[in-house]
């Protein structure tokens, strides 16, 4: 697949948001932010001025050999922040003291991009030793992945610190499931300081990437125990997916694009798919069954700039969830282990 670098950096009109240095309020379910530690846009301006360039180069190098990596890094960031806050806990390996998040059910044989973050961290350490946290690297890598795929710029503050622990149990309990009812997913979002609109907006990240067949296969053959396919799934999409994911266990790890219309391009086609009944995941298509969420889906399906602006806002909110600052965290030497 041949792609020019310039085609991936089309920035929408709301680029002016980048002039915002501080984002407020900060949703925090992990304690209040200590403003004395100067969590802000320019945090690394003097201590690591080449940080963004290093992260950009690392993400681009990975993308050249693996076009799926942009979606994988974005998902890794979401799964980190959604479990007890943005603290790079998802990057920690298991120890004798805890079972971490890497092997939790939503992440096992699914979450990807660890080696990309480790590589970027090594490059950052060479340029700025013991200065930049793994969580700030992951957060920035997610934004660069969105930009690289043609999505919007959004402002980020920096100065997050890495956490000291991780929890497999918390990941299993807190991360939304693709077969979970919409009301349960919404409740998980609201528990983090997010809202129903954020559910719809952040689900739009499924405009890029793939899903393994086992995450949606019941829609194709035995929807909710009926022995029949999901009646809301458009017939040609159903036939296509049944070909990708035959009704046998051997197909469980096969991949299908979350947005078949523009698999690697960050755009609003995901919402067009939902309106047309061709959403892949059960939790995605469920957004069309609730009047409140379906109205937002319909609006985004016809207005890509509205989606981009709202996605930028929701990603900034996500990146501030439950962060650690000051002595509440550390700057890990290596992202997979606590110092």
């Amino acid at each position: 697949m041949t792609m020019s670098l310039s085609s991936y950096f089309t920035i929408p009109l709301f680029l002016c948001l980048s002039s915002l240095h501080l984002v407020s309020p900060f949703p925090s379910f992990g304690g209040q932010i200590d403003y004395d530690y100067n969590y802000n846009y320019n945090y690394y301006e003097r201590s690591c001025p080449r940080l963004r360039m290093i992260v950009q180069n690392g993400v681009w190098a990975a993308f050249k050999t693996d076009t799926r990596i942009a979606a994988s890094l974005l998902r890794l960031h979401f799964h980190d922040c959604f479990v007890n806050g943005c603290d790079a806990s998802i990057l920690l390996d298991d120890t004798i003291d805890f079972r971490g998040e890497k092997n939790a059910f939503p992440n096992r044989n699914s979450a990807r991009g660890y080696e990309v973050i480790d590589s970027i961290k090594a490059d950052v350490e060479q340029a700025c030793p013991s200065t930049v946290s793994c969580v700030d690297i992951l957060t920035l890598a997610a934004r660069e992945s969105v930009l690289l795929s043609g999505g919007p710029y959004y402002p980020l503050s920096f100065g997050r610190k890495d956490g000291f622990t991780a929890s497999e149990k918390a990941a299993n309990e807190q991360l939304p499931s693709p077969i979970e009812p919409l009301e349960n997913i919404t409740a998980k979002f609201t528990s983090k300081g997010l809202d129903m609109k954020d559910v719809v907006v952040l689900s739009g990240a499924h405009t890029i990437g793939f899903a393994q067949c086992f995450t949606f296969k019941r829609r194709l053959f035995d929807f909710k125990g009926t022995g029949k396919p999901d009646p809301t799934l458009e017939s040609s999409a159903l036939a296509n997916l049944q070909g990708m994911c035959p009704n046998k266990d051997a197909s469980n790890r096969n991949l299908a694009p979350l947005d078949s219309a523009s698999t690697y391009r960050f755009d609003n086609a995901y919402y067009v798919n939902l309106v047309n009944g061709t959403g892949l995941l059960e939790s995605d298509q469920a957004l069309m069954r609730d009047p409140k969420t379906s109205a937002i889906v319909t609006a985004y399906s016809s207005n890509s700039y509205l989606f981009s602006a709202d996605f930028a806002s929701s990603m900034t909110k996500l990146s501030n969830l439950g962060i650690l600052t000051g002595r509440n965290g550390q700057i890990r030497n290596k992202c997979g282990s606590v110092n």
Side-chain angles (χ1 to χ4, degrees):
M1 191 172 186
T2 302
M3 307 172 190
S4 67
L5 180 60
S6 61
S7 66
Y8 284 102
F9 286 88
T10 303
I11 309 300
L13 296 177
F14 52 88
L15 180 60
C16 56
L17 285 171
S18 65
S19 64
L20 298 176
H21 288 186
L22 294 175
V23 181
S24 177
F26 297 93
S28 177
F29 49 84
Q32 295 297 312
I33 291 175
D34 186 344
Y35 292 98
D36 290 342
Y37 290 101
N38 202 25
Y39 174 70
N40 63 63
Y41 180 84
N42 294 313
Y43 189 84
Y44 297 114
E45 186 173 39
R46 293 185 178 180
S47 60
C48 196
R50 295 179 57 245
L51 175 61
R52 184 181 178 188
M53 182 183 300
I54 295 170
V55 175
Q56 279 179 330
N57 289 342
V59 173
W60 175 245
F63 185 83
K64 284 194 296 184
T65 58
D66 178 10
T67 48
R68 290 174 56 202
I69 200 64
S72 297
L73 291 173
L74 180 56
R75 182 172 185 259
L76 199 63
H77 172 54
F78 176 84
H79 279 214
D80 178 47
C81 291
F82 215 81
V83 180
N84 297 330
C86 305
D87 60 358
S89 55
I90 196 171
L91 304 179
L92 287 173
D93 296 321
D94 292 352
T95 72
I96 58 173
D97 297 317
F98 62 80
R99 290 178 59 85
E101 297 163 28
K102 283 186 176 182
N103 290 309
F105 183 73
N107 297 325
R108 189 186 314 140
N109 299 317
S110 173
R112 304 171 69 246
Y114 298 109
E115 71 289 345
V116 176
I117 299 302
D118 287 342
S119 176
I120 295 172
K121 171 65 170 175
D123 291 341
V124 171
E125 284 296 306
Q126 281 195 331
C128 319
S130 303
T131 300
V132 182
S133 64
C134 295
V135 61
D136 275 348
I137 290 171
L138 176 56
T139 301
L140 184 52
R143 185 181 71 184
E144 297 307 319
S145 295
V146 171
L147 287 169
L148 187 61
S149 303
Y153 176 96
Y154 51 92
L156 291 172
S157 292
F158 296 102
R160 301 168 190 79
K161 295 297 173 62
D162 300 320
F164 297 107
T165 189
S167 171
E168 179 183 61
K169 181 175 182 290
N172 284 330
E173 292 174 351
Q174 295 177 26
L175 287 169
S177 161
I179 61 172
E180 211 168 357
L182 178 58
E183 54 268 28
N184 290 18
I185 293 174
T186 303
K188 289 182 175 181
F189 271 67
T190 55
S191 74
K192 310 296 182 185
L194 301 172
D195 55 32
M196 180 176 281
K197 182 178 179 182
D198 294 313
V199 174
V200 182
V201 176
L202 293 175
S203 294
H206 291 168
T207 183
I208 54 175
F210 292 77
Q212 297 182 56
C213 288
F214 79 89
T215 62
F216 60 87
K217 191 186 286 186
R218 79 171 191 169
R219 294 190 72 200
L220 311 182
F221 303 102
D222 186 22
F223 184 61
K224 296 185 176 179
T226 62
K228 298 179 180 180
D230 182 347
T232 66
L233 185 56
E234 192 270 335
S235 58
S236 62
L238 172 63
N240 186 42
L241 290 170
Q242 287 176 333
M244 293 182 186
C245 305
N247 193 17
K248 53 187 179 182
D249 290 344
S251 72
N252 282 349
R253 298 292 177 185
N254 291 357
L255 298 174
L258 287 160
D259 172 8
S260 58
S262 56
T263 305
Y264 300 104
R265 180 73 183 178
F266 199 100
D267 55 24
N268 68 332
Y270 162 84
Y271 297 103
V272 177
N273 295 341
L274 299 188
V275 171
N276 293 334
T278 60
L280 183 66
L281 300 180
E282 193 175 320
S283 57
D284 288 339
Q285 197 59 51
L287 296 174
M288 285 301 294
R289 292 198 288 272
D290 182 284
K292 293 179 181 177
T293 55
S294 65
I296 303 172
V297 169
T298 302
Y300 292 155
S301 72
S302 60
N303 190 332
S304 62
Y305 288 103
L306 177 63
F307 164 55
S308 292
D310 287 351
F311 185 82
S313 177
S314 289
M315 284 300 294
T316 299
K317 288 171 65 176
L318 176 71
S319 73
N320 290 322
L321 292 181
I323 67 167
L324 304 173
T325 58
R327 297 182 183 88
N328 293 321
Q330 66 175 196
I331 296 172
R332 292 183 205 145
N333 298 322
K334 293 188 176 180
C335 294
S337 59
V338 176
N339 296 345

